[in-house]
Structures are given as C-alpha cells and as structure tokens.
Amino acid sequence: MTNTIKIDTTNTPEKFCSMVEEIVPQLVEILKELGKLEQDYFVQGKRLNKNGRVIEFKNGVREEITKHEDLKAKFKVLYKQLLDPYCTEEMLSQRRDCIHGTHYPSGFNCLHTGCTIVFTMKSANKAMVELVPPDSSIPYDMSDSNVRYIVDNFTNKPPYFYSYFEKYRFTMKRIGDSWKINLVHNARLHSTSWRRDYYF
C-alpha cells in the first residue's frame, strides 16, 4: 500500500489489529485494478460518442467497437473476471448485474490521491473495510492523456478539479484460508445511511 492511505483501527480490538495486513492490501489491489477498468470504460465510451468507434490493438489483434452495447458487454466480462474470484458464492448469487465506470475518475482513484480505510473486526471470520475518500477538491492529473481527453470539453479554464462523492463499505468473510468480499454497501460521502450495492 502507499503512504496516501491512512488506516483507522479505532473500533477494532487490539487482538484483531494485525489482521489489517492480511485483509486490506489484497482488497486495495483489487479496487485499484477495478478503478483502472472503470476509467478505461468511461473514456472509451466518450471516444465512441465522439468518433463513432473505438479501436484497440492488443497482442497484434485489432478490435473495433462501434456500438455502446458491445463496449458495455466487453467491460462486463472484464469486471467479472477481476471481481468474481474474490467474492463469495453468496454475494455472486445475489448480484443483479456487474456495472461500473459511470463517472470519471473512478471513486477508487482515491487509493492513489489519498483516503482513509476504516478497518473494523470484532470476530475471527468477519471484517468490515470502509473506504472513505477526502472531502476536498483534487486537481486532475493533466499529464494523463485520458484526463486531457475527458476535460477537453470543459468550458472552464484549467486547472480542473474534481471531488469524490461516495464512500464504500466491504464486508469481508473468511472462506477457508482466504478472505472474500461478502457484501458491498455505498453511501454519499456525508451520509450515515448505507445502501446495498448489488452491481459489484
């Protein structure tokens, strides 16, 4: 993990505090990868709107997408490939869909720009990990070509800023020797009312 992430174990008994290192780093890496996919999907959707097609070359193979349905289907597969191995069967059975990438930057980008992870564990087989982004405006990284593409249509003059508006709570469950995501909730940044996320 990076020094941009602050860990809060205030609500965790000392005997479980060491579990942070077993549970949190893996979840952080998954969410960073998900954030990359979300941002890629958003940018490709914008390119599809503007140019009528998205062209990619991967391993010497040219792929052209001209329909939003095809782009969405492609990324649903990528999201599932990433997430499914780290989710419990119970969670997967209740999933309504696997939809991500509805805004830019991804809410999980805060793992790079700074956030607080609230780790709560009070029993041996269950833990809760809350991802709380900062309540501040953050400048876009204008060195990123995708960012320059996104902000190109903005009417204001640079520098451009964005704010995170959601926080997430992951309920982790021990399955054998590993930890898996069993529930996901999200909420507005200042809300105390969490809602179940069936699309994770």
Side-chain angles (χ1 to χ4, degrees):
M1 291 190 295
T2 66
N3 55 11
T4 60
I5 301 173
K6 177 186 173 187
I7 305 290
D8 179 350
T9 57
T10 305
N11 297 321
T12 299
E14 188 175 345
K15 66 178 180 178
F16 290 127
C17 284
S18 62
M19 295 303 295
V20 167
E21 290 303 318
E22 186 173 333
I23 297 171
V24 173
Q26 176 182 278
L27 180 61
V28 165
E29 289 309 309
I30 295 164
L31 297 180
K32 282 182 177 179
E33 288 301 313
L34 178 59
K36 287 180 193 174
L37 282 177
E38 287 187 345
Q39 292 180 174
D40 194 23
Y41 173 65
F42 189 92
V43 173
Q44 288 197 30
K46 289 290 185 186
R47 287 197 168 104
L48 186 53
N49 283 338
K50 186 175 180 180
N51 304 323
R53 65 180 181 170
V54 174
I55 299 173
E56 276 194 338
F57 290 90
K58 190 171 183 181
N59 300 324
V61 177
R62 180 182 186 274
E63 178 187 41
E64 180 174 338
I65 295 177
T66 57
K67 296 179 181 177
H68 280 282
E69 299 79 27
D70 294 340
L71 184 66
K72 190 174 183 179
K74 171 188 172 180
F75 274 85
K76 277 188 184 183
V77 170
L78 294 174
Y79 294 142
K80 289 178 181 179
Q81 285 175 346
L82 171 66
L83 296 172
D84 287 8
Y86 302 102
C87 297
T88 64
E89 290 298 325
E90 177 185 355
M91 180 172 161
L92 293 177
S93 69
Q94 295 175 17
R95 178 192 277 165
R96 293 176 185 167
D97 207 341
C98 199
I99 300 172
H100 296 272
T102 56
H103 52 84
Y104 193 100
S106 163
F108 304 117
N109 191 56
C110 67
L111 291 164
H112 299 286
T113 60
C115 64
T116 299
I117 289 179
V118 181
F119 181 81
T120 305
M121 185 173 183
K122 296 183 178 178
S123 65
N125 295 313
K126 179 181 174 183
M128 285 196 300
V129 180
E130 289 182 24
L131 178 64
V132 184
D135 182 16
S136 60
S137 295
I138 296 167
Y140 276 103
D141 176 9
M142 298 305 291
S143 66
D144 186 322
S145 60
N146 282 341
V147 169
R148 292 198 301 273
Y149 185 85
I150 289 295
V151 302
D152 186 45
N153 295 326
F154 285 15
T155 54
N156 300 8
K157 291 182 179 180
Y160 298 112
F161 294 86
Y162 63 90
S163 297
Y164 297 110
F165 57 90
E166 271 189 320
K167 56 187 175 182
Y168 290 86
R169 183 172 70 200
F170 300 88
T171 303
M172 309 297 293
K173 184 176 181 180
R174 188 193 293 274
I175 305 291
D177 293 331
S178 62
W179 287 89
K180 295 197 173 189
I181 303 167
N182 194 48
L183 288 170
V184 179
H185 291 81
N186 58 49
R188 294 287 175 181
L189 197 53
H190 298 289
S191 175
T192 56
S193 178
W194 293 89
R195 57 189 177 273
R196 176 81 180 271
D197 188 337
Y198 289 97
Y199 301 91
F200 201 89

